[in-house]
Amino acid sequence: MATIGRAERAEDRTRAAELLRQGELVAFPTETVYGLGADATNDRAVAAIFAAKQRPAFNPLISHLANTDAVGAFAHWNDAARALADAFWPGALTLVLPRTDDCAIALIASAGLDSVALRVPSHPDAHALLAAVGRPVAAPSANRSGRISPTTAAHVNQELGDAVAFILDGGPCEIGLESTVVGFRAGAPVLLRPGGISLEQLQAVVGEIVMAELLLDAADRPSAPGQLASHYAPNKGLRLDALEPGPDEVFLGFGPDHSGSQNLSAKGDLIEAAANLFAMLRQLDQGPGSAIAVAPIPETGLGRAINDRLRRAAAPRR
Ligand code: TXA
Ligand code: MG
């Protein structure tokens, strides 16, 4: 089981912040639910979140910031987003905004998309932790995939005690329901996930809000196939389970036996492979060759999420 620290003790908060800066996983309280946190700028640490949750797919994650001022370094504002942040931050609202060109948040936290989900939580212990880390902290709810979100440190310990370095106990979560997620289409707000801030509260600030056709269910599974449209897909065609590149193909290898244009992990480590996946796909997509051949990835552990993403990227486009 994990070490549990008490959020009211400065030395426990310092320890949690140090572990996060070292790339470890730390669970921490927010006003909505407990988050399973990792340094959002560290690809490997973010990949470890997916391994710990045993998630069969990569969903984009929320990166948590200590202050609204920090947003500009990572994402582009629009007027409606500003108004919502002024009204509801710090608090149970997540804004999905376009990534800046030099955004330091790991691509795997965006699941390869050009957007990034950001939230400034109001919980005082979360705020103190984020300020001490001094970097964005990526955190989904601290439960195993498909289970309900934890609202106490004891729940987190039952769910993930063997997978997380440290749990910061800040008592029970006040809201107990995940944050409301709002994205933007041509500057107009779109409700992506209902949550702690109600639709009426949002409408009072920005007027009408488009409901995404693509709402996610409670387990964050896409409830409509349209959700697939928002997944990152390279422009080049993808050929999976390839043992070597064909003519005019570039090769994305895995393991010691494949010397490709790029190798997801020469030592065959699936966490390293997940951490490299989106950045390497982007590089190969932008370089020479008309298609990308990808080596077989074992269907175990994070390999399932990697294969899920590769199969979607390889699927025929509509
Ligand atoms: O209250 C919460 O939001 C909790 C606490 C820990 O902050 N976090 C949480 O994270 O629920 P997670 O990863 O379980 O949910 C993230 C949600 C998902 O519905 C995901 O699809 C959406 O945010 N999301 C994140 N990035 C996105 C993006 N770039 N585009 C569209 N949706 C995004
Ligand atoms: Mg969740």
Side-chain angles (χ1 to χ4, degrees), residues 53 55 141 143 149 178 220:
K53 283 188 68 105
R55 211 170 227 190
S141 51
N143 51 279
S149 301
E178 286 93 340
D220 281 346

Side-chain angles (χ1 to χ4, degrees), residues 80-147:
R82 279 269 184 206
L84 289 169
D86 286 346
F88 301 114
W89 276 357
L93 177 71
T94 293
L95 299 174
V96 178
L97 297 170
R99 293 171 65 101
T100 54
D101 284 340
D102 55 354
C103 178
I105 292 174
L107 265 182
I108 188 177
S110 289
L113 299 171
D114 293 325
S115 54
V116 65
L118 300 173
R119 180 160 100 82
V120 177
S122 65
H123 195 295
D125 298 327
H127 175 81
L129 178 66
L130 291 165
V133 174
R135 295 177 195 159
V137 172
S141 51
N143 51 279
R144 296 230 189 251
S145 185
R147 310 273 294 266

Side-chain angles (χ1 to χ4, degrees), residues 46-61 108 111 140 143-147 217 219-222 228 231 270 274 277-278 297-313:
V46 177
I49 290 178
F50 292 99
K53 283 188 68 105
Q54 300 177 344
R55 211 170 227 190
F58 298 124
N59 276 353
L61 304 176
I108 188 177
N143 51 279
R144 296 230 189 251
S145 185
R147 310 273 294 266
D217 69 16
D220 281 346
R221 282 180 305 247
L228 294 180
H231 285 150
L270 289 165
L277 178 67
F278 294 109
I297 313 292
E299 188 74 10
T300 56
L302 273 194
R304 268 191 281 275
I306 294 171
N307 283 322
D308 167 81
R309 203 33 65 111
L310 287 170
R311 280 191 290 267
R312 291 173 197 274

Side-chain angles (χ1 to χ4, degrees), residues 55-242:
R55 211 170 227 190
F58 298 124
N59 276 353
L61 304 176
I62 299 167
S63 290
H64 299 73
L65 302 170
N67 299 296
T68 305
D69 292 347
V71 168
F74 306 105
H76 296 293
W77 283 109
N78 61 57
D79 291 344
R82 279 269 184 206
L84 289 169
D86 286 346
F88 301 114
W89 276 357
L93 177 71
T94 293
L95 299 174
V96 178
L97 297 170
R99 293 171 65 101
T100 54
D101 284 340
D102 55 354
C103 178
I105 292 174
L107 265 182
I108 188 177
S110 289
L113 299 171
D114 293 325
S115 54
V116 65
L118 300 173
R119 180 160 100 82
V120 177
S122 65
H123 195 295
D125 298 327
H127 175 81
L129 178 66
L130 291 165
V133 174
R135 295 177 195 159
V137 172
S141 51
N143 51 279
R144 296 230 189 251
S145 185
R147 310 273 294 266
I148 56 166
S149 301
T151 53
T152 66
H155 291 172
V156 179
N157 206 19
Q158 285 160 20
E159 284 282 321
L160 291 168
D162 52 353
V164 63
F166 195 77
I167 300 171
L168 195 62
D169 184 353
C173 301
E174 205 179 307
I175 298 179
L177 180 73
E178 286 93 340
S179 63
T180 301
V181 181
V182 175
F184 300 87
R185 208 176 284 153
V190 179
L191 181 69
L192 298 175
R193 180 180 75 179
I197 303 287
S198 70
L199 182 60
E200 289 78 6
Q201 285 175 288
L202 299 175
Q203 283 167 336
V205 175
V206 288
E208 265 328 288
I209 296 195
V210 185
M211 311 285 286
E213 320 80 15
L214 359 143
L215 283 184
L216 301 176
D217 69 16
D220 281 346
R221 282 180 305 247
S223 59
Q227 176 68 13
L228 294 180
S230 69
H231 285 150
Y232 169 68
N235 293 314
K236 290 178 186 167
L238 232 63
R239 187 167 64 88
L240 306 185
D241 294 319

Side-chain angles (χ1 to χ4, degrees), residues 12-25:
D12 287 0
R13 290 200 305 269
T14 303
R15 175 105 186 93
E18 275 168 3
L19 287 166
L20 282 167
R21 291 177 64 91
Q22 288 161 15
E24 300 288 333
L25 299 184

